[in-house]
Amino acid sequence: MTIKAVIINKQDDVYSVAPGELNASDLMDGDTLVRVSHSSVNYKDGLAVTNRAPVVRRFPMVPGIDMVGVIEETTAPGLAAGDAVILNGWGTGETHLGAWAKKSRVPGAWLVPLPKDLSAEQAAAIGTAGYTAALCVLGLQDAGVTPASGPVLVTGAAGGVGSVAIALLGALGYHVIASTGRPDEADYLKKLGANEIIARDELSGKLRALGKERWAGAVDSVGSTTLANVLSMTRYGGTVTCCGLAGGMDLPSSVAPFILRGVSLIGVDSVMAAREKRLRAWELLDQKLDRKLLAEMTTVVPLSKAIEVGEQIVDGKVRGRVVVTIV
Ligand code: NDP
């Protein structure tokens, strides 16, 4: 049996990414064999295929940090052949062969059930970006930020995390301010649920320890100067959830927002998040994410196009989410 896949290799310091084939013996350890039907292109997959950051820590590697498919064989407790499942993160595409392949062997404990009201394609469209957006929204809710608290800002708005965060926050009744570097996407962002659009430049300028108080909460996927400015403009007692580094990994901030305004900064990691958090996030997505808006933000490509989209996403050229069909 050969398994069609995208394979990243590194030999004699030469990094290569190309369509290829795996043998069944190439699959990794795990008590569960999944027939993959859909994956997606996340920012991290883009970093992996372009080698712009050292996310791949084992060679050969198969990219694809999102997996949706059906179990073919399993000895894991609580799972059975035929179950439709989702896997997000856990090191797939980094240390464990990822989902841009027709089959994958993984520990069953990494899998969550596909909610019955979501199709496999919709679950892949949500993917890590959408599930992370849900974790960010839950972080705001858990910190007590309600629609009555005031507006919530979403940075990197037209990206995957941003698009799903806007749709979720809009559905939950928040007044959403979307920050984007692509003003031509204003109509798209408004359709998703943004009430106001601001230019990315407003948050990338000169830093002040404290700025005018503008939002009660924020979902930030950009980091760096943007996050520092977001913090400095967060209202007294507000909360910012931070999950990304599309603008850089640094954080040139001061303690002023924390000690003078009681602002909280909550870190969000999707890769190693506990199962209980994952189930909560997928429940929120299942219940509150409008399927028409999800379709609006989704593009579907075959596996043969995934590498090209990976190159585009790290240049900020992808809008919303891109599903990769594997079958
Ligand atoms: P996308 O590429 O889809 O979106 C990122 C968006 O950020 C872009 O669309 C753009 O939005 C904005 N952006 C890009 N470059 C810059 C820049 N130089 N300065 C300011 N804004 C910029 O990626 P995702 O939404 O999938 O992921 C966003 C970030 O979140 C990534 O860094 C990713 O690694 C991280 N992430 C982290 C996770 C975690 O577990 N913590 C999980 C998932 C993602 P616009 O054009 O609207 O300005």
Side-chain angles (χ1 to χ4, degrees):
M1 173 181 74
T2 55
I3 300 160
K4 207 171 119 191
V6 169
I7 298 172
I8 301 180
N9 236 319
K10 190 175 177 183
Q11 267 168 350
D12 303 326
D13 271 351
V14 178
Y15 198 89
S16 64
V17 190
E21 283 180 347
L22 300 170
N23 293 312
S25 58
D26 295 326
L27 296 182
M28 297 183 73
D29 287 345
D31 52 20
T32 303
L33 180 66
V34 178
R35 187 171 66 248
V36 185
S37 66
H38 298 79
S39 184
S40 77
V41 184
N42 283 278
Y43 193 86
K44 192 179 271 174
D45 301 314
L47 292 175
V49 299
T50 57
N51 195 21
R52 283 209 202 161
V55 300
V56 177
R57 279 168 282 142
R58 170 211 192 264
F59 296 95
M61 178 48 63
V62 172
I65 66 171
D66 288 328
M67 184 185 302
V68 187
V70 172
I71 294 179
E72 274 196 357
E73 294 167 11
T74 185
T75 54
L79 295 176
D83 287 356
V85 289
I86 303 172
L87 189 160
N88 306 112
W90 290 118
T92 49
E94 301 180 73
T95 52
H96 194 101
L97 296 182
W100 293 5
K102 285 197 168 205
K103 300 211 185 208
S104 181
R105 186 173 283 285
V106 296
W110 289 359
L111 302 169
V112 296
L114 176 70
K116 70 174 174 19
D117 293 333
L118 282 174
S119 68
E121 184 181 301
Q122 286 170 331
I126 293 168
T128 287
Y131 138 69
T132 302
L135 290 175
C136 290
V137 171
L138 289 170
L140 294 178
Q141 288 183 323
D142 291 349
V145 179
T146 68
S149 309
V152 170
L153 172 75
V154 176
T155 64
V161 173
S163 295
V164 178
I166 291 169
L168 278 180
L169 289 164
L172 290 164
Y174 289 86
H175 180 97
V176 181
I177 305 176
S179 157
T180 184
R182 291 182 267 179
D184 47 323
E185 297 295 359
D187 286 347
Y188 163 76
L189 296 170
K190 284 189 176 151
K191 205 183 272 184
L192 293 186
N195 301 91
E196 293 176 52
I197 314 286
I198 64 170
R200 183 198 281 184
D201 295 352
E202 277 192 45
L203 302 173
S204 57
K206 194 167 174 294
L207 275 168
R208 291 203 314 208
L210 290 177
K212 185 167 176 260
E213 294 179 55
R214 293 175 70 179
W215 30 79
V219 173
D220 178 63
S221 60
V222 173
S224 192
T225 310
T226 300
L227 176 56
N229 273 311
V230 169
L231 289 164
S232 77
M233 296 181 210
T234 300
R235 287 188 188 174
Y236 192 93
T239 299
V240 176
T241 51
C242 147
C243 70
L245 44 61
M249 206 167 188
D250 58 329
L251 178 53
S253 187
S254 79
V255 296
F258 309 112
I259 65 170
L260 298 176
R261 288 195 182 147
V263 167
S264 298
L265 177 60
I266 296 183
V268 172
D269 168 60
S270 65
V271 179
M272 303 305 287
R275 180 178 176 80
E276 181 194 311
K277 271 194 182 178
R278 292 169 186 262
L279 293 173
R280 251 187 104 198
W282 278 102
E283 189 185 358
L284 176 66
L285 290 156
D286 186 26
Q287 288 177 359
K288 294 291 176 190
L289 186 62
D290 184 308
R291 307 304 195 259
K292 278 203 190 116
L293 296 183
L294 180 62
E296 189 78 36
M297 65 179 88
T298 303
T299 311
V300 182
V301 301
L303 186 57
S304 56
K305 286 263 184 270
I307 299 172
E308 189 182 320
V309 179
E311 289 162 357
Q312 292 163 356
I313 199 168
V314 287
D315 287 332
K317 289 185 183 151
V318 167
R319 183 179 94 172
R321 295 279 301 142
V322 179
V323 169
V324 179
T325 47
I326 309 291
V327 284

